[in-house]
Amino acid sequence: MRLIGSLKYFGETGSIKPQKGWILSPLYDVIFIFGGSIAALLILTLKEMGNSASTDLSILTLFVVSFALNGGHMVAGLSLLIFNREERARAKRVEPRIYKQCLAIILVCLALFGGSAILFSQASDSDAFRFPIRIAGFLYFLWNGWHFGMQQFGLLQIYRKKHGITTNIDRHFDRVQCLLFVSIIPSLLLFSIGRRDDFFESYFGNLEVLNSHRTEIFFVAIVMACLAIARVSYKKHWRWPIALCYAGIFLIPFAMSFNPVLFIFLAAFGPHYLQEIFLITVIGSSEDSDGQRLVKKSVMFFGFVVLIAASIGFYIALELAKSAGGHLGIHGSIRLDSGLDMLGFWTVAGIASVFAIFNFFHFYLDRLIFAKRADLL
């Protein structure tokens, strides 16, 4: 009887029937949607307990996040639209100008990094070539922060809709909470230790001055978290997926208070990457059978393998790019080898523009893939 029940749940063809209130099931959702946050909390606990193994575990987790998840999450949406005709047609219905806007992204990236190379060629001893890179970094910073926050907001709305407890006020409140906890506060904490502020530094100076205001930053976080808990409690909206969503976003500033760089990867980046790969593979392997949504396990597993392989390729490409003579970071950082010539800079700028195009494609295409998908997950 237990075997028969399992076959009914997974489907005789190896398919998964999503359970009510979850994207797939409590098990799958906890592993792939909330698993990154749970792992970050576990590592934070080990670190506070003074476990000597926690340092090695943290380093290993950082490597896994960068090596196995980052690149795959970045190309997940693009690969879905390239290889899935139905999803491509759906994206065109959501945004009929998709190809023109993709072309615009390509041209903007080429113009910024190409313009920087031209300025470097004209006067390598001048700082003028840095200006287009800082513009690219500023665009990336704003869009990336919005993208991170909106992914968590979207997950909250998916679970709210599945439980029939969403209102316009809830949507506005959740949007503010997600942008604050996933984008604004983490950025301020990174800036407070002088990280990832290359494109701000020439205009505002060193932002480590924020370090003296960390108490105020955490006070705002605590107040907003208490407001969210009070509102959801008053509305009696607590459900397990919703509670886990809130717990994941509240964990980010708390974890970063111990080590901003380490836990931005563990509590924010890692969960974000894992969620993206999971959602895209679920969408790509979904089909209707007699009016029911099913997810083919074999297709989902294959999608995971392909995206992990893409991550490895992305990581190797980044490492090889460093041998070109320097590095132009998508977030505005600039590192050039001593004596880099004009050809070398064009090579570095060309590599940087390719990575910028893939990053901006990721931000743009994800919005189209997940927009207006009431029937999707």
Side-chain angles (χ1 to χ4, degrees), residues 61-78:
T61 307
L62 281 174
F63 178 76
V64 169
V65 168
S66 299
F67 185 79
L69 296 177
N70 186 9
H73 115 277
M74 187 178 66
V75 301
L78 179 61

Side-chain angles (χ1 to χ4, degrees), residues 87-327:
E87 287 299 321
R88 192 162 61 248
R90 185 193 170 280
K92 287 181 66 177
R93 290 195 299 270
V94 173
E95 177 50 77
R97 299 172 299 173
I98 179 174
Y99 294 132
K100 291 181 179 179
Q101 293 181 349
C102 285
L103 177 60
I105 290 173
I106 294 173
L107 294 177
V108 167
C109 291
L110 292 178
L112 289 172
F113 289 93
S116 177
I118 292 173
L119 291 173
F120 182 87
S121 302
Q122 292 177 344
S124 60
D125 57 343
S126 171
D127 284 340
F129 76 91
R130 299 176 181 269
F131 184 69
I133 306 302
R134 293 196 179 108
I135 293 177
F138 186 66
L139 292 175
Y140 175 83
F141 170 74
L142 293 179
W143 205 351
N144 186 54
W146 176 265
H147 170 74
F148 264 69
M150 288 301 97
Q151 179 166 304
Q152 299 308 310
F153 169 73
L155 284 169
L156 260 173
Q157 302 319 298
I158 287 174
Y159 287 120
R160 281 187 175 276
K161 287 180 180 179
K162 285 181 174 293
H163 290 277
I165 51 175
T166 183
T167 67
N168 285 333
I169 295 178
D170 291 324
R171 285 177 57 83
H172 294 318
F173 191 78
D174 287 344
R175 184 181 288 110
V176 171
Q177 291 282 353
C178 290
L179 288 174
L180 183 68
F181 281 92
V182 183
S183 177
I184 297 174
I185 290 179
S187 297
L188 293 177
L189 291 174
L190 285 176
F191 291 161
S192 72
I193 61 169
R195 296 300 183 101
R196 299 180 70 90
D197 58 347
D198 306 87
F199 51 93
F200 282 124
E201 189 170 0
S202 61
Y203 302 106
F204 303 107
N206 194 314
L207 294 176
E208 290 183 21
V209 65
L210 290 171
N211 192 47
S212 61
H213 298 286
R214 287 164 67 91
T215 301
E216 291 88 342
I217 293 172
F218 286 112
F219 177 77
V220 171
I222 292 171
V223 169
M224 292 301 292
C226 289
L227 286 175
I229 292 170
R231 175 173 175 79
V232 178
S233 299
Y234 174 75
K235 300 283 287 185
K236 298 181 180 179
H237 285 176
W238 287 119
R239 305 292 188 275
W240 271 112
I242 294 173
L244 289 170
C245 278
Y246 275 117
I249 67 171
F250 294 158
L251 172 67
I252 296 173
F254 171 70
M256 290 181 67
S257 67
F258 295 89
N259 187 318
V261 176
L262 173 65
F263 286 106
I264 190 67
F265 276 92
L266 301 187
F269 292 176
H272 175 86
Y273 299 160
L274 191 61
Q275 290 164 1
E276 169 78 8
I277 293 175
F278 173 70
L279 292 172
I280 291 297
T281 53
V282 167
I283 293 171
S285 55
S286 297
E287 61 182 14
D288 285 321
S289 177
D290 298 327
Q292 292 183 327
R293 177 72 65 182
L294 298 175
V295 177
K296 297 182 69 174
K297 290 191 294 183
S298 59
V299 177
M300 183 178 168
F301 175 78
F302 177 75
F304 256 93
V305 172
V306 169
L307 292 177
I308 296 300
S311 292
I312 296 172
F314 175 78
Y315 180 85
I316 293 173
L318 280 177
E319 290 300 308
L320 291 175
K322 295 178 182 179
S323 64
H327 174 72

